[in-house]
Structure formats: structure tokens, C-alpha cells
Amino acid sequence: MRQNGQIIAITGASSGLGQHLAEQAASRGMRLALMARNKNKLYDLAEKIGGDILVHTGDVTSETDSKEFISAIVEKFGSLDHLITNAGQSMWANFDQIEHTDLFRKLMNVNYMGVVNCIHPAIDVLKKNYGQIVVISSIQSKFGVPAHSAYSASKHAVDGLIDSLRFELKNSGINFMTVYPHWIRGTRMRQNALGSNGEKIGDQKRSHNKSSVSAENCACYILDALPQRRESLYIPRKLKYLPALKLLFPPIFRWLIRSKINSQK
Ligand SMILES: NC(=O)c1ccc[n+]([C@@H]2O[C@H](COP(=O)([O-])OP(=O)(O)OC[C@H]3O[C@@H](n4cnc5c(N)ncnc54)[C@H](OP(=O)(O)O)[C@@H]3O)[C@@H](O)[C@H]2O)c1
């Protein structure tokens, strides 16, 4: 009930986790501002949810589109309580098989610059409201894994950015919560991932192992955590021990990661 009437902005709302976040936030009485590139999907979602939703078609890699999204929120609602930077893209290719390093630029643009572009114009409006920035990162921001070098690097960059902002904006009233999920099932992440030729790998049969979490549950954990104004949220919670395992027992850590990745192939 404490979330009723709060204004929440979600990037990458046209599919997967973002879509579930939007649907569940609306069912908790929150007022929505949604952004993604796919106009039809966004409008279909807004129609399905119903009510007075701000729909903004745009690309988070564009500073202009991102600024316009935040301006449209201020114009429509006058304030903002939570900004969830969720838009993202992955990959599936080993480094020595990647044909062009442009793949690195693409993923850095979406996963890192996409976060910078959206949170930079939102700082002033969030300050006024003791608002919150929720960054959907990945456990891969804590260590690299095979076939995901550019993705892991882009998520590491986001962690560095948010660490710095926590210092700089300590007295601003803004809370920064970073979300570290494991594999999430029921999203388009795999299909949208870039392959060795730099193009989306498209529909492929890839199995999720038992430790994956459904997008529905993941969205629920994130929304439940909003009132707690935490610094971090690991999904599932036991993931928070992995960085310590890497530090203390590197060979065991590498064996574990290799076996987890192989179980996904
Ligand atoms: N799935 C997993 O296993 C997993 C695990 C850990 C973390 N995550 C993170 O969870 C987040 C959501 O991913 P997902 O699994 O829900 O994947 P998804 O189903 O592929 O959704 C990605 C969303 O991001 C949007 N997007 C991509 N590029 C964009 C851009 N340049 N500008 C604006 N929107 C853009 C897409 O919409 P448009 O194409 O319409 O723009 C889509 O709505 C990502 O940040 C991802 O890194 C996922």
C-alpha cells in the first residue's frame, strides 16, 4: 500500500523483466512511465495495463531520447519516485570468435551509456523527492564469465559508476539500489543477445538450469525491495557469496562458473 500513487519510470519495458515490472507496479497502484524502442509493444502493454500511463518511444543509447523521457515525466507527473534502468542487451560468443570489436561498443552503449543517459537528467527531479535509482545490473558485474566478455565488462562499468555516485550524492537524498540477478527465465534476453558476427542470435533452444529465476518472481522481489531503500539486491540471495568465493578460493570459483555456463549451452 505504501507504493500506491508513487511514480515509477522503467526503461526496457517492452519485454521481459521490464514488462513484468510495469504490470506488477501498476497492480500495486504505482503510476507508470515506460520507455523502449518498440512502439507497438509499449502501446500494447499500456493498453493491457490500462490507466494513465506515460509511454515514451526511445533509445537509451541516445542522450536526447533519454533526456526527453525524463522531461516528459516531469511535465506529466511533476515528480519521480523511482527510476529503474532496466534496458539491456547480452551476447553469446567467445572473445576469439568475435568478428568485430564493434560488438563491445554496442553493448557498452546500451548497458552502460544507457544507464548514464537516463540517470543524468533525472538527478534533479529525484533529489526533490528523496527518490531512488534502481539499476538492473547482473551478477556478471562482479566477475566475468565465458562467452560474455563484453556484457560482463559493461555491467562492471555500471557498478563503478554507481559506486562513485553513492559518494558524490551521499547527501542528496537519492538512494541507489543495484540489482544483481542470476539467469532470468521468460525474457527475450537470449534471443536478443549478440553472436560472434555482432547480430542478434535469434530463436534458439537454450535451457535454463534450476537456479534461474522467473521474470515474474524477479520483478516481485525488486518491487518488494523498493521501500527498503537498500544498496544491493542479489537474486537469489545466495549469489552474494560468489564474489567472496572468487577472492578466497579462485580454483573452486572457476570450476563452479564453468560448470554453470556449460549447463546453459
Ligand atoms: N535474462 C537474464 O538472464 C538476465 C540476467 C541478469 C540481468 N539481466 C538484465 O535484466 C535487464 C532486462 O533484460 P531481459 O532479460 O528482460 O531482456 P529482454 O527481454 O531482451 O528485454 C530487454 C529490454 O530492453 C530494451 N532495450 C534494449 N536495447 C534498448 C535500447 N537501446 N533503448 C531502449 N530500450 C532498449 C528492449 O526493448 P526494445 O527492443 O523495444 O527497445 C527490452 O524491452 C537487462 O538489463 C539485463 O542485462 C537479465
Side-chain angles (χ1 to χ4, degrees), residues 14-15 17 37-38 59-60 86 151 155 184 187-188 192:
S14 64
S15 101
L17 179 60
R37 293 165 305 181
N38 192 315
D59 187 328
V60 294
N86 165 75
Y151 178 74
K155 294 288 186 179
I184 306 171
T187 81
R188 299 281 303 164
N192 291 331

Side-chain angles (χ1 to χ4, degrees), residues 11-19 35-39 41-42 58-62 85-90 109-111 136-140 151 155 179-193 200 208 215:
T11 68
S14 64
S15 101
L17 179 60
Q19 183 176 337
M35 179 180 177
R37 293 165 305 181
N38 192 315
K39 188 176 179 178
K41 280 192 182 175
L42 270 188
D59 187 328
V60 294
T61 68
S62 153
T85 63
N86 165 75
Q89 190 167 23
S90 187
N109 262 338
V110 181
N111 297 335
I136 308 300
S137 183
S138 159
I139 193 58
Q140 292 182 41
Y151 178 74
K155 294 288 186 179
V179 182
Y180 302 104
H182 191 15
W183 305 114
I184 306 171
R185 58 178 185 276
T187 81
R188 299 281 303 164
M189 194 72 172
R190 292 284 167 89
Q191 291 85 346
N192 291 331
K200 290 182 181 180
H208 280 282

